């Protein structure tokens, strides 16, 4: 049996996550599940919870890699919880566990995960209209190394399609 594709969805936590971002993240999670891929998130609130909710409602499998050492911190839509106990360092684990990354809004924690994915040359899609780090870095490189271009997309469907095209190429 072939390995399942694993797509990381990152973005705003519960602080700063608007209802519009939650809806967008829900749709991204749903599209990940429809594609037959495993959804990976940081397992907490905001975009992470909304994406897990969308994937869960579409019958997908969700994995939450949380910074705490206690699984009870994970959102209720995580099917598998990995309590890393790594604090903010878990951003690297999230990036390395994924085949590709989708960015919905986001702040400095999201940027940390983007940098980890970028350094490891993971394909990254950023939803342009979601604001935050996604809008700031869409359609550009993070630095002079030009490891991978962060590709701006307009819809959750486009985000998942881009990641799948890159990881199955």
């Amino acid at each position: 049996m072939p390995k399942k594709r694993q797509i990381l969805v990152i973005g705003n936590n519960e602080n700063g996550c608007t209802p519009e971002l939650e809806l967008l993240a829900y749709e991204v999670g749903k599209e990940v599940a429809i594609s037959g891929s495993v959804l990976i998130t940081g397992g907490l609130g905001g975009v992470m919870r909304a994406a897990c909710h969308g994937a869960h409602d579409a019958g997908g499998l969700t994995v939450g890699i949380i910074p705490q050492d206690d699984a009870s911190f994970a959102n209720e839509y995580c099917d598998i919880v990995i309590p890393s106990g790594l604090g903010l360092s878990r951003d690297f684990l999230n990036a390395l566990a994924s085949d590709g990354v989708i960015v919905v809004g986001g702040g400095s924690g999201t940027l940390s995960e983007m940098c980890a994915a970028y350094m490891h040359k993971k394909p990254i899609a950023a939803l342009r209209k979601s604001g935050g780090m996604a809008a700031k870095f869409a359609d550009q490189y993070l630095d002079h190394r030009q490891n991978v271009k962060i590709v701006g997309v307009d819809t959750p469907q486009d985000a998942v399609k881009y990641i799948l095209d890159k990881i199955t190429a």
Side-chain angles (χ1 to χ4, degrees):
M1 174 171 15
K3 174 192 160 304
K4 286 196 169 268
R5 298 167 302 211
Q6 298 174 186
I7 299 176
L8 174 65
V9 176
I10 60 176
N12 295 74
N13 63 22
E14 59 275 352
N15 300 324
C17 190
T18 65
E20 293 81 17
L21 282 179
E22 286 182 1
L23 181 59
L24 200 53
Y26 178 92
E27 291 300 322
V28 170
K30 185 174 152 189
E31 291 298 322
V32 169
I34 290 169
S35 78
S37 302
V38 175
L39 174 78
I40 298 175
T41 72
L44 302 177
V47 162
M48 298 170 277
R49 180 182 183 276
C52 287
H53 189 178
H56 182 269
D57 284 357
L61 179 64
T62 63
V63 177
I65 303 173
I66 63 172
Q68 298 88 349
D69 62 1
D70 179 350
S72 70
F73 284 93
N75 73 63
E76 69 272 32
Y77 299 106
C78 291
D79 295 312
I80 298 169
V81 177
I82 300 172
S84 73
L86 295 173
L88 298 176
S89 300
R90 78 84 152 78
D91 293 352
F92 279 82
L93 181 57
N94 290 353
L96 287 169
S98 72
D99 296 311
V101 181
I102 298 173
V103 188
V104 182
S108 61
T110 302
L111 180 57
S112 173
E113 287 172 302
M114 289 171 70
C115 289
Y118 180 85
M119 287 187 285
H120 291 279
K121 300 179 180 173
K122 305 284 181 165
I124 305 169
L127 284 155
R128 289 186 189 100
K129 298 175 186 172
S130 64
M133 295 300 141
K136 183 175 180 92
F137 292 104
D139 298 312
Q140 56 185 313
Y141 298 95
L142 287 179
D143 68 11
H144 65 282
R145 288 175 280 208
Q146 298 186 356
N147 287 343
V148 291
K149 188 172 191 176
I150 298 167
V151 173
V153 295
D154 294 318
T155 68
Q157 295 84 1
D158 291 342
V160 173
K161 182 182 182 326
Y162 171 76
I163 296 299
L164 292 178
D165 286 349
K166 292 304 274 186
I167 64 180
T168 57

